[in-house]
Amino acid sequence: MRIMIGSMTLLLLLSACSSKTDDLHMDRLKKNKTAYKHLQKTQKAQLYDGNTTKAFVTATYLYPPSKRRSGEENDEAFIVGVYSDEDPLNQIGKAYHLTLEGEKPKGILSLPKESPSLNEMPFVTEWSSYYLVTFPHTTRKSFSLVFEHINYGKKEMLFSKVAKYTESKKAF
């Protein structure tokens, strides 16, 4: 009898603690839902000179599948953050170049640090420069964004319009 009462008490305590923890995590998830969605579409790349990082870039693909209608062709848009220890302006189009499947950007708009667009981004630092970069529409479901510098080479970041990971319907 004592063991049963002790077990019931332990289960009651554990269930009470876990529900509070779960509620805390759910509240955090609800508050940061947009940032978590953007995190799934964010890639990073670094360019090196030997073992030294010379440039660091983060790119977040802004693909709103629910807002596109059948047959509608919207530009492919990214928010790109660039940091370089050599170039205080970190400018895309000057020392650094971006291409999407070999195509140059249609537009590059510098974003100020206080831009509302940056509030929802998962990685924003004070020492990076941020841009809204648009490319012509592509019908491909997955594609690569290439970050390049004339002296330090290039890195490829892979993006997808569909989920990268899907759950299996099979029972194990």
Side-chain angles (χ1 to χ4, degrees), residues 3-22:
I3 295 173
M4 189 170 185
I5 291 173
S7 298
M8 296 288 278
T9 304
L10 181 61
L11 285 174
L12 181 63
L13 285 173
L14 289 175
S15 66
C17 292
S18 65
S19 67
K20 288 179 186 175
T21 304
D22 291 344

Side-chain angles (χ1 to χ4, degrees), residues 154-170:
K154 62 183 176 180
K155 289 289 180 160
E156 186 175 8
M157 296 172 279
L158 302 175
F159 291 91
S160 177
K161 291 183 183 182
V162 294
K164 290 183 181 181
Y165 309 103
T166 57
E167 294 180 21
S168 175
K169 299 281 184 187
K170 293 180 183 179

Side-chain angles (χ1 to χ4, degrees), residues 50-92:
N51 290 331
T52 305
T53 298
K54 290 298 185 176
F56 180 80
V57 65
T58 58
T60 301
Y61 181 43
L62 304 175
Y63 178 69
S66 62
K67 294 182 180 178
R68 292 191 183 197
R69 289 183 238 140
S70 179
E72 185 177 337
E73 292 185 358
N74 293 342
D75 290 339
E76 308 301 344
F78 295 84
I79 290 187
V80 177
V82 179
Y83 168 75
S84 169
D85 65 345
E86 293 179 349
D87 183 7
L89 299 177
N90 304 315
Q91 293 183 340
I92 296 177

